[in-house]
Structure formats: C-alpha cells, structure tokens
C-alpha cells in the first residue's frame, strides 16, 4: 500500500509518499481500505505538533502514528477474531482527534475508537466531510442551552466548523446571522442563514441586533469586540484561544463575575458527535461544504492550502485511484 509518512513533527514538505506493507488487524480491530479522508485544522496540529501541548495527545517526543490523519471514510476489508459489530464490506467512517494514521490506503482501527456505519446512499466524500468540523461545531452548541427562536451570530460560516454549526443550529430552530466572504453569500443563504454579513465590506460587530450567543468559528474576533452584541446573560464561544491566549482565562473570570460570559468549548465525546451526524445525514438535514479534492500524492499541497487559512469547508484527500 502507499501511505503518507512523516517521522517527526514538521511542515507539509516533511511528508513523503512511501510503499508499506498492509497492516493486519488485532483481535478487536478492523482493517479499513481508506477511500477518503480530509486535511483539516486538527491535522495541521497533528503534523506540526503545535501548539506544543498537542504533543502530549498525539505522541511525545515524536508522533504516535507514521501517517498523519484524523478521519476516514472507507470499507472494512478484514475483521479481527473478536469483532462482531462489523463485517467485511461494511462502509464505515470515523474520527479521532488525537490522530489515527488515516492518510494511507489501509489502516487498522480499534473498535474502542469513534466510528459508525456510513448512511445508505451517502458517498465517501460527503461522509468524511461530516466529521471533524461537525464534531467541533457540536461542541460549541452543546456547551449552552439552546431554545427554538434564539438568535446566534456566527462568525466564519464558510469554514468546516462554521458551515456545520450553521446547519445544526438551523435544524434546532435557531435564528442565525452568518458572517462570510463576498463570494459565498449565496451559498451560506442556501445552507440556511437568516441574515448574512460580508466581512470584506462590513463590520459584523456593529450590528444593531442583540444576540443570545456569538459563535466565533474561526477565532478571528474577540470577546471584547463582540460583547456589545450579547444580551445581558449572553455567551461568546470561540474555536481559538483568542488574542494573548485569553479565552480560557476569560471563561473562568466571567463565570465568577456573572453577566455576559465567555465559554471555552473543550471538545469531548467524539462518538456522540458521530451519532448525531448519522441522524442528521439520514434525515437529509446536513450537507457538508467541500472546497477542494486532492489525490494522496499531492498531500503536501493540501496541507499548505489548509495551513494558509484560505480554505472554505472541507479539503478532501481522495484515495480511490488504483
């Protein structure tokens, strides 16, 4: 099999494409023929080992897996001796934010890790694009109590997290104002936004409406800038540490002080996120935004593109070529 390989933390140029033996599953593992995976913000952290604390989750002092990758969609090729839940030929997808070595033609996967069967009729690109960003979006949303009709300002609506959050919020009956770039206003309206701001020509923080929540799905704003948008008991939630890494500290301080608050969305329960996405996909209430598709041989270019901050939605690595 061919696999993307890196033996140390580094840059996209440190990734090579190499021929390796096909691994064999242990008693509680399955062998998966990977047909699609994404290159996402989590993958960039797995590749670079930055921020440094990331290494305590994905391997220290060097990466745990030879191949990078955190998500996959593919077909079960072989099952371990003790596996009963899955069979050869099952279409499966999964995500593990500590890395799982999925950027290779084949991978073994322990059944203790998060995964599910792909809903019938769903292609592999759509399936894999419904994992990483959706998981982090869900972990924005599940940190607060949401009620139908509440108003949300969503910054970064074209990212993998933002486009997922938009659709999940609309499925729950919330009113969403979304912020995106000039070229994507119509697409974001198509995904369900009730009102849109073009950040290239407008400052969304000057909006005269008042919101229950501000979700900053790209981490490019701050509590200080968005505070005026919030109701007296409203909450600001960001996908980033914020200027000077302030958001975790503000989450503690504002919880003590009361009033408008910051919530830092530590992500957990990946399996629960996947189960929610299976429900939404089966109900045809979720359509992931896909930007570009690269073959595995162009993985370094895919990483450079994602790391540049230019991507919208998801960037796919296609492994279907013979």
């Amino acid at each position: 099999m061919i696999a993307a390989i890196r033996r140390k933390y580094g840059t996209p140029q440190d990734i090579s494409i190499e021929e390796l033996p096909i691994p064999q599953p242990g008693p509680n593992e399955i062998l998966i023929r990977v047909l699609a995976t994404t290159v996402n913000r989590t993958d960039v952290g797995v590749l670079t080992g930055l921020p440094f604390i990331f290494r305590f989750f994905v391997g220290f002092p060097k990466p745990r897996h030879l191949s990078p990758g955190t998500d996959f969609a593919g077909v079960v090729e072989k099952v371990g001796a003790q596996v009963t839940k899955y069979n050869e030929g099952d279409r499966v997808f999964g995500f593990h934010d500590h890395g799982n070595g999925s950027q290779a033609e084949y991978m073994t996967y322990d059944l203790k890790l998060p995964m599910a069967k792909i809903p019938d009729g769903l292609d592999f690109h759509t399936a894999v694009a419904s994992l990483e960003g959706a998981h982090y979006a869900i972990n924005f949303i599940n940190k607060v109590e949401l009620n139908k009709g509440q108003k949300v300002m969503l910054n970064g609506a074209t990212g993998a997290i933002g486009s997922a959050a938009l659709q999940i919020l609309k499925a729950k009956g919330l009113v969403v104002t979304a912020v995106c770039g000039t070229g994507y206003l119509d697409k974001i309206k198509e995904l369900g936004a009730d009102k849109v701001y073009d950040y290239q020509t407008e400052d969304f923080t000057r909006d005269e409406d008042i919101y229950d929540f501000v979700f900053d799905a790209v981490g490019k704003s701050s509590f200080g800038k968005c505070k005026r948008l919030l109701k007296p008991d409203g909450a600001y939630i960001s996908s980033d540490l914020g200027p000077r890494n302030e958001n975790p500290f503000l989450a503690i301080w504002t919880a003590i002080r009361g009033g408008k608050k910051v919530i830092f969305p530590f992500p957990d329960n990946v399996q629960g996120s996947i189960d929610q996405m299976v429900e939404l996909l089966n109900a045809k209430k979720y359509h992931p935004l896909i930007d570009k598709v690269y073959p595995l041989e162009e993985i370094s270019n895919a990483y450079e593109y994602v790391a540049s901050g230019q991507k919208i939605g998801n960037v796919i690595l296609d492994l279907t070529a013979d």
Side-chain angles (χ1 to χ4, degrees):
M1 71 169 187
I2 61 169
I5 296 295
R6 52 87 167 90
R7 292 175 171 81
K8 62 180 182 179
Y9 294 112
T11 70
Q13 296 310 314
D14 292 314
I15 304 173
S16 60
I17 301 296
E18 301 183 19
E19 189 80 29
L20 296 177
I22 296 175
Q24 294 303 306
N28 290 297
E29 295 180 331
I30 57 176
L31 175 67
I32 299 169
R33 167 73 164 100
V34 180
L35 296 173
T37 179
T38 72
V39 177
N40 52 60
R41 285 170 60 183
T42 306
D43 289 322
V44 172
V46 171
L47 174 66
T48 63
L50 298 172
F52 192 85
I53 194 173
F54 216 64
R55 303 183 188 202
F56 294 100
F57 299 98
V58 301
F60 184 84
K62 62 182 181 179
R64 185 176 299 111
H65 297 282
L66 274 177
S67 294
T70 55
D71 58 22
F72 67 88
V75 176
V76 177
E77 290 279 321
K78 190 175 182 179
V79 300
Q82 298 179 22
V83 175
T84 58
K85 186 176 180 179
Y86 295 95
N87 298 299
E88 293 180 13
D90 284 347
R91 300 181 337 126
V92 293
F93 64 157
F95 169 64
H96 185 44
D97 51 0
H98 295 176
N100 58 23
S102 60
Q103 291 170 352
E105 285 187 310
Y106 290 90
M107 62 180 292
T108 56
Y109 202 69
D110 194 301
L111 293 194
K112 292 182 294 185
L113 298 176
M115 66 181 300
K117 292 181 181 178
I118 296 173
D120 292 340
L122 204 67
D123 65 87
F124 293 107
H125 287 191
T126 300
V128 80
S130 303
L131 294 170
E132 187 256 4
H135 168 61
Y136 293 122
I138 288 168
N139 276 271
F140 269 57
I141 291 165
N142 66 13
K143 299 301 184 288
V144 292
E145 183 176 343
L146 298 177
N147 296 301
K148 187 175 181 179
Q150 287 180 312
K151 297 172 67 174
V152 176
M153 173 69 79
L154 175 63
N155 186 31
T158 54
I161 299 173
S163 58
L166 171 58
Q167 296 178 73
I168 296 168
L169 289 166
K170 291 305 300 177
K172 292 179 177 292
L174 277 78
V175 179
V176 181
T177 296
V179 183
C180 63
T182 305
Y184 306 103
L185 300 175
D186 289 341
K187 181 62 179 178
I188 294 308
K189 290 178 182 176
E190 181 184 323
L191 291 179
D194 298 282
K195 184 169 73 173
V196 294
Y197 267 98
D198 180 351
Y199 74 84
Q200 294 173 288
T201 61
E202 305 170 284
D203 181 359
F204 75 91
T205 66
R206 307 315 302 172
D207 190 353
E208 295 182 358
D209 283 343
I210 301 298
Y211 294 85
D212 296 279
F213 309 105
V214 174
F215 290 157
D216 186 0
V218 287
K220 292 184 177 180
S221 191
S222 68
F223 178 57
K225 292 179 181 178
C226 296
K227 189 176 179 180
R228 63 173 300 276
L229 296 172
L230 292 169
K231 292 181 177 179
D233 60 347
Y236 171 82
I237 307 178
S238 175
S239 64
D240 194 75
L241 293 172
R244 301 173 298 280
N245 299 323
E246 65 185 19
N247 286 336
F249 302 100
L250 285 174
I252 297 170
W253 168 242
T254 56
I256 296 170
R257 185 195 61 192
K260 300 178 182 181
K261 55 188 173 291
V262 173
I263 296 175
F264 194 72
F266 291 104
D268 58 7
N269 192 11
V270 180
Q271 186 63 55
S273 297
I274 294 175
D275 293 341
Q276 285 191 52
M277 294 314 299
V278 168
E279 291 181 13
L280 287 172
L281 289 164
N282 276 323
K284 305 291 191 292
K285 292 184 177 180
Y286 186 77
H287 306 278
L289 190 58
I290 294 175
D291 185 353
K292 293 187 177 183
V293 178
Y294 292 85
L296 182 62
E297 291 78 6
E298 295 181 19
I299 188 171
S300 293
N301 294 336
Y303 268 92
E304 287 182 343
Y305 179 60
V306 173
S308 74
Q310 300 177 52
K311 81 172 181 71
I312 64 165
N314 296 269
V315 170
I316 306 290
L317 283 180
D318 187 296
L319 287 83
T320 59
D322 294 331

